[in-house]
Each structure stands twice: as structure tokens, then as C-alpha cells.
Amino acid sequence: MRRVGLALAALALAQTGCTTAIIVAYQTLSDERTVQEQHDDARIMGTIKDELAARSGVGTALQIHVFAHGGRVVLAGIVEPGSTLGAEAVAVARGVQGVRRIDTVFLPRRPSYPRDLTISLKLDARIVADLELRRTQLDWTVLAGTVVLTGVVDNPLKAKKVVEHAWSIDHVTAVRSFVQVRPPGKRAPR
């Protein structure tokens, strides 16, 4: 019996690994950015998060969402009045190689995390259901009813659709779109 259990566990682990590999391959191949740009953006995001955690502590660093697409960094989070967290995050981002631009969305408080989570889940469902959009090309966070959109799409109509989807959700108070448009085959400037 023990051998059967171990064999089943090994099979489940192998299947999970294969599924993860397929998902990562799909995300990489369906992204408008080159593999090198994806790598650079992941390095930028990781470096900013690591530096912020080293300066402010892990818990504080988790308050700031970091997005990078084509060297454009969007920092978003709840930064209480009088806090230096936002300024620290910008300073850290400025010091990271490959960062071309920094945009920020800092709000002073979050009245309802469950409401923000509900908005985020509804947006995810709308984007997945829209066959013209690829979920893997977009990222977002919701802060106090403000939807912060980032990503790279291949035409302006898709960028507009994402914003429309966000606005169609109850309790959305603002939409800040940093979605970049890159026609197919066009590389980002370096």
C-alpha cells in the first residue's frame, strides 16, 4: 500500500510540474514582450521588492505593488499620510538598472480590502471571458476602489477594452491605466 501511495504522490508531483511548465511556457510565448524584456522586467520587479524589503522590512514592502513592463515601473499601494514608504519605493526604483520611467498610485487608506478583492476577482473573470484579451498580458491591483492596470497589449482597442471592463464593475471609483500598446513585431526602445 505504501508503494502505491508513493507512486501516486510521485505521479501527482510530476503532473503538477508539467502543468506548471505548460502554463509558464504559454505565458512567456503569449506576451507581447520579448523573452529578454520579460526577463529584464522580472529582474527589475524583484530588485525593487528586495531592496524595499531590506530597507523597510518585508511587511512594509508588501504594502507596495511593483509592476514592470518594458522598463516602465508602476508602484501602487496604500501609503499613510506622513509615511516615507512611497518616497522610499520611488528612490529604490530610480536606482535599478533598466528602469526607464516610474509612475505611482499611492492612496492614504483602504476602507475595504474585501471589496477591493471582489473587484479584482470580477475584473479577472471579465478579462478571461473576453476572447480578444489575454489575461497573461495584463496585471492589476485594486486599492480603495481604484483599479490600477498595467501590461502590454498589441492594439489600442484592447487597452480601451480593459479600461471599460474595469469601469463596468460595481464600486470602482477610479481607473488608472498604464497599459502600453505595442503593435505585433514592434520592439520596445532601449
Side-chain angles (χ1 to χ4, degrees), residues 50-57 87-89 91-92:
D50 287 349
E51 287 289 322
L52 199 53
R55 286 186 184 191
S56 305
E88 286 180 48
V92 167

Side-chain angles (χ1 to χ4, degrees), residues 23-36:
I23 290 169
V24 170
Y26 172 77
Q27 289 172 337
T28 301
L29 295 173
S30 66
D31 200 305
E32 294 300 325
R33 300 170 293 168
T34 66
V35 173
Q36 183 62 49

Side-chain angles (χ1 to χ4, degrees), residues 19-172:
T19 302
T20 301
I22 290 168
I23 290 169
V24 170
Y26 172 77
Q27 289 172 337
T28 301
L29 295 173
S30 66
D31 200 305
E32 294 300 325
R33 300 170 293 168
T34 66
V35 173
Q36 183 62 49
E37 289 169 327
Q38 292 175 55
H39 176 270
D40 291 346
D41 289 339
R43 179 192 50 76
I44 288 168
M45 287 189 318
T47 302
I48 292 170
K49 283 300 231 180
D50 287 349
E51 287 289 322
L52 199 53
R55 286 186 184 191
S56 305
V58 174
T60 305
L62 291 175
Q63 292 177 266
I64 301 292
H65 299 269
V66 180
F67 304 100
H69 293 89
R72 182 180 188 178
V73 172
V74 176
L75 304 170
I78 304 300
V79 177
E80 295 177 4
S83 171
T84 60
L85 180 59
E88 286 180 48
V90 171
V92 167
R94 280 193 182 122
V96 175
Q97 182 183 0
V99 173
R100 295 185 303 112
R101 179 176 172 168
I102 302 166
D103 292 296
T104 62
V105 179
F106 296 136
L107 298 170
R109 63 186 188 85
R110 171 181 267 161
S112 176
Y113 178 76
R115 182 176 285 171
D116 287 347
L117 180 59
T118 300
I119 292 169
S120 184
L121 293 171
K122 286 181 177 181
L123 180 58
D124 191 42
R126 283 187 169 96
I127 289 174
V128 168
D130 187 329
L131 299 178
E132 292 181 24
L133 298 173
R134 291 185 193 144
R135 170 62 182 95
T136 57
Q137 295 174 334
L138 301 163
D139 291 306
W140 62 81
T141 190
V142 181
L143 305 163
T146 298
V147 179
V148 181
L149 301 165
T150 68
V152 181
V153 296
D154 62 0
N155 75 55
L157 293 176
K158 289 182 180 178
K160 183 180 175 190
K161 256 187 140 173
V162 174
V163 171
E164 289 170 356
H165 283 309
W167 274 117
S168 73
I169 300 168
D170 289 340
H171 306 293
V172 169

